[in-house]
Amino acid sequence: MKAMEFNSGKIPVWCPGCGNFAIWNAIKGALADLELNGKDVVNVSGIGCSGKMLNHLRTYGFHTLHGRTLPVATGVKLSNHKLTVIVNGGDGDGYGMGAGHFIHAIRRNLDITYLVHDNHIYGLTTGQASPTTDKGLKSKSTPSGVIDEPLNPLAVALNAGAAFVARGYSGEVEHLKELIKEGINFKGFAYIDILQPCVTFGKKYSYEYYDERIYKLDESYDCTSFENALKKVWEKDKIALGIIYKIQKDEYTSLHPQIKEKTLLETTGKIRDISEELQSFK
Amino acid sequence: MTVLTWKIGGPAGFGIMSAGPMFAKALKRSGYSVQGYPEYPSIIRGGYNCYHITFSNESVFSVYKRCDILVALDKVVFDNEDITENMTVIADFDSIKLSEDIVCKKIHIPIKNILKENDFPDIVKNSIALGASAKLLGVDENIVFKLFEESFPAKVVNMNIEAAKKGMQYCENVIQNNFKPDDKVKDYLVMTGNEAIATGAIKAGVGFYSTYPMTPASSILHYLAGVAEKYGIIVKHTEDEIAGIIMAIGASYAGVRAMTGTSGGGLSLMTEGVGLAAMIETPLVIALSQRPGPATGMPTWTEQSDLKFVMNISQDEFVRIVLTPGDLKELFVMTFEAFNLADKYQVPVFVLTDKFLSESHFCVDNLEYDGLEIDRGYIFEGDESKPMDFFPRYKEFKNGVAMRVNPGTPGGLFKAPGNEHDDFGFVATDSKTRIKNQERRFRKENYIKDELPLPKLYGNENAEITFVCWGSTKLPLMEALKFTEKFNFIHFSAVNPINWEDVKNIFKGKKLVAIETNFTGQLASIIAEKTGIVIEDKFLKYDGRPFFVEEILDFVERGR
Ligand SMILES: Cc1ncc(C[n+]2csc(CCOP(=O)(O)OP(=O)(O)O)c2C)c(N)n1
Ligand code: SF4
């Protein structure tokens, strides 16, 4: 399938200039480059402007509840590990509501790709502060300015033991597409935080704001070093794009003898003989 | 004497909860029907644990308040039990000094000395007591020894056999009972309600079970986890109940038979997930083992107080199936059928139980039935000619039900959305679509009704009073029926959706008394809502214990 063919035919309803358009294009490009078939891909979407991605891809899709993307994705992938599972959600969805699931998904290292549309704000509910909103920023729910420290989700991921941590940017579509491809190809939990300007409610985090600060990691950067990675995610004035940390770890499905060969879908759902089981109650 | 009752008690950590069930099995293997009922606090050491066995040569259904033979492994037993004159008490009366006014038939076993002389560790106390009990009740010692072999690590089996033999030496006076052991019973199963649920799910081809531990549902998780690899099931203890139910929904969406199980507190967290399953019409089986609440409540005790919770769980209105099995067979078969119903109607299916039914042991002749068949409902098999086409997953196929599609199917693309949606699963909020969907989804009820069992009458048709019950309260009523013809009872093994017009007919001409272990009479209130019949007389219990047989007989004698 060509990138274009991954259009569902539904016209996106994001605001003109919204960073979600670029993420959409990057995903379609990545799926096409990897020669994947829409029928073999499941996109699990959270609730928010980010989650609307679901409507625009010619793939299977699951629009879950707010914050509950990763448990759905886990259930799907364990049940049919032949599917490619991609998750799209916002920073409110993933770092607020879903923060617990995020940490535990990292612990599992299941082969799914998690794209967080990080606009540092709640878009769909018209502009309340999110867990990644900077201190002092005034929003609808924090009219006197945020007084909570912002979360550093990449640092959380690293410290929770994530094996693939990357950062992309809506202003760099080609680069983002390559990151998503790397994420899908990665055998494990691939986490990509995407700087996604919300042009309507996240005015501080504009394309100009990011363009002044971003730079791309190149070959000279060793992404297998945990120390390097920690330094990168705590950098103050500059923002590194690319794969910040990547190591190999046991992938979760491979730890289940139940699905070594066939999928759970293929092997279960049939009546079982339990006479031996019942013997033990005699 | 139609039944005998035996009880073993001691502090938590004494092994009461393994000795009790083991003795229940020993009695069953001797040819007696048994019922075993545990009571324990939610602590690991200390407190008071006991396990109460009722046995007979006739079928035994439920627990009595009475205790004929009490094994007291510690002084704490005397602080917790009412000792009566007729009671036979097995204890180390050297170490436990009783006040003068406690009168009972004492069987003294110098447990402390036996331990010391033989250099036995404390934990074999139980085996000494089991040996004594076996002797007292005429249970063949080899049955006990065989159980030790099956249950203990090989290296301690002999020590426990020796300990049991010591116990036997102090029990010369065998209690006479006129029970004739029944050879058929020797081959019966002794299992808990949760084990019946777990084996029913295994039989039904369950592929995925995910939840967070919560008493009294945890033993379903433990059982399935223990056999997961053997049967190729994936069992997950998730980070919380929210993840538990949502993960199961993900698995079901992918086409696998999925289930979760919890108690009321966990179900509170799962509430949003129940609504999600309903909205995306993804099959889901939920076992709910009730305990008194709210909040943390009484974790290890019983109550039937979540019926209205599941009847109304999650916002808005949607079809849910509520099954309320009352014994092992019903639990097993209904768990099996719950998967069929979930697949066929694509709605959440609740299997309700409670601590009493979940964790007590009961006897059943067999659970391997002929005639159990799997029905996965309507599934779209795919269309290779247009593999990337979207499919109308939410368009009615038959009886309000649409065709399911497993992701990966060519030509079956669709979106499973928590939002209201069009036939393909894309968000839709126009009034026509909303009305069409609500009406279609609710149409399923008409067909489900015909598949669910109607409440059933037990006992003499013309009895003076008719108890109306659901779930596990069937059991004490069955037991009480052995003694009187004054009452009969109607048991609901399913509450929703059922044919309420038929229920009215079943009620006709009867003097109804609601009997439930909750404060308000929840089934009675649902009956009033659905039929207009108000049951004024209620016999309710809400102290965390099931109805004891004597309590029911007293009530019947008093007339209320
Ligand atoms: C349980 C629940 N609570 C609240 C909401 C309302 N809600 C919808 S989207 C959203 C915030 C989304 O923010 P974010 O995840 O950052 O996504 P964005 O819209 O910015 O992409 C909220 C609070 C909801 N849908 N469900
Ligand atoms: S509100 Fe913000 S995030 Fe939502 S569509 Fe508009 S620009 Fe995008």
Side-chain angles (χ1 to χ4, degrees), chain A residues 121-140:
Chain A
I121 202 84
Y122 285 14
L124 191 62
T125 44
T126 67
Q128 301 86 355
S130 97
T132 50
T133 305
D134 281 318
K135 243 177 150 169
L137 193 120
K138 291 183 176 156
S139 79
K140 277 192 179 161

Side-chain angles (χ1 to χ4, degrees), chain B residues 53-274:
Chain B
I53 295 177
T54 307
F55 70 100
S56 171
N57 56 332
E58 295 167 36
S59 295
V60 174
F61 302 95
S62 200
V63 57
Y64 289 71
K65 209 176 175 80
R66 187 184 95 217
C67 167
D68 300 317
I69 302 140
L70 176 67
V71 180
L73 289 183
D74 188 270
K75 183 153 188 340
V76 65
V77 180
F78 296 94
D79 305 335
N80 285 276
E81 299 290 343
D82 294 329
I83 309 295
T84 59
E85 239 172 283
N86 293 328
M87 222 178 208
T88 302
V89 179
I90 302 177
D92 182 345
F93 290 101
D94 288 344
S95 346
I96 303 172
K97 294 278 176 258
L98 291 186
S99 71
E100 297 287 318
D101 52 322
I102 297 185
V103 185
C104 58
K105 299 179 206 156
K106 292 181 187 169
I107 296 184
H108 168 60
I109 303 183
I111 296 178
K112 211 168 162 190
N113 277 348
I114 297 175
L115 294 180
K116 208 159 110 201
E117 280 165 19
N118 297 280
D119 214 9
F120 287 151
D122 259 14
I123 192 74
V124 303
K125 268 186 188 178
N126 283 310
S127 298
I128 299 172
L130 288 191
S133 302
K135 186 71 182 284
L136 190 68
L137 293 168
V139 172
D140 183 345
E141 60 177 34
N142 290 315
I143 291 180
V144 177
F145 300 160
K146 177 112 194 303
L147 278 162
F148 287 174
E149 275 166 33
E150 292 169 20
S151 326
F152 296 144
K155 59 178 198 293
V156 302
V157 169
N158 277 336
M159 178 176 69
N160 282 284
I161 291 178
E162 286 315 307
K165 282 182 176 164
K166 299 278 177 220
M168 288 171 189
Q169 288 171 8
Y170 291 87
C171 262
E172 286 310 327
N173 300 326
V174 173
I175 288 196
Q176 292 303 324
N177 65 55
N178 50 10
F179 299 166
K180 259 189 69 171
D182 183 344
D183 277 342
K184 273 204 319 288
V185 175
K186 294 180 179 168
D187 223 29
Y188 282 11
L189 314 173
V190 177
M191 65 202 303
T192 64
N194 279 355
E195 286 164 344
I197 291 175
T199 46
I202 296 169
K203 183 88 193 162
V206 65
F208 201 91
Y209 185 85
S210 50
T211 191
Y212 189 85
M214 188 168 193
T215 308
S218 303
S219 52
I220 306 172
L221 169 69
H222 302 164
Y223 192 95
L224 291 175
V227 297
E229 285 188 26
K230 179 172 169 195
Y231 292 108
I233 306 166
I234 290 187
V235 179
K236 286 289 155 222
H237 162 183
T238 51
E239 55 268 32
D240 54 32
E241 283 90 348
I242 299 176
I245 191 168
I246 304 280
M247 218 180 260
I249 294 170
S252 177
Y253 161 80
V256 164
R257 285 199 148 178
M259 178 174 177
T260 187
T262 186
S263 191
L267 190 64
S268 294
L269 286 181
M270 290 184 181
T271 298
E272 60 170 37
V274 177

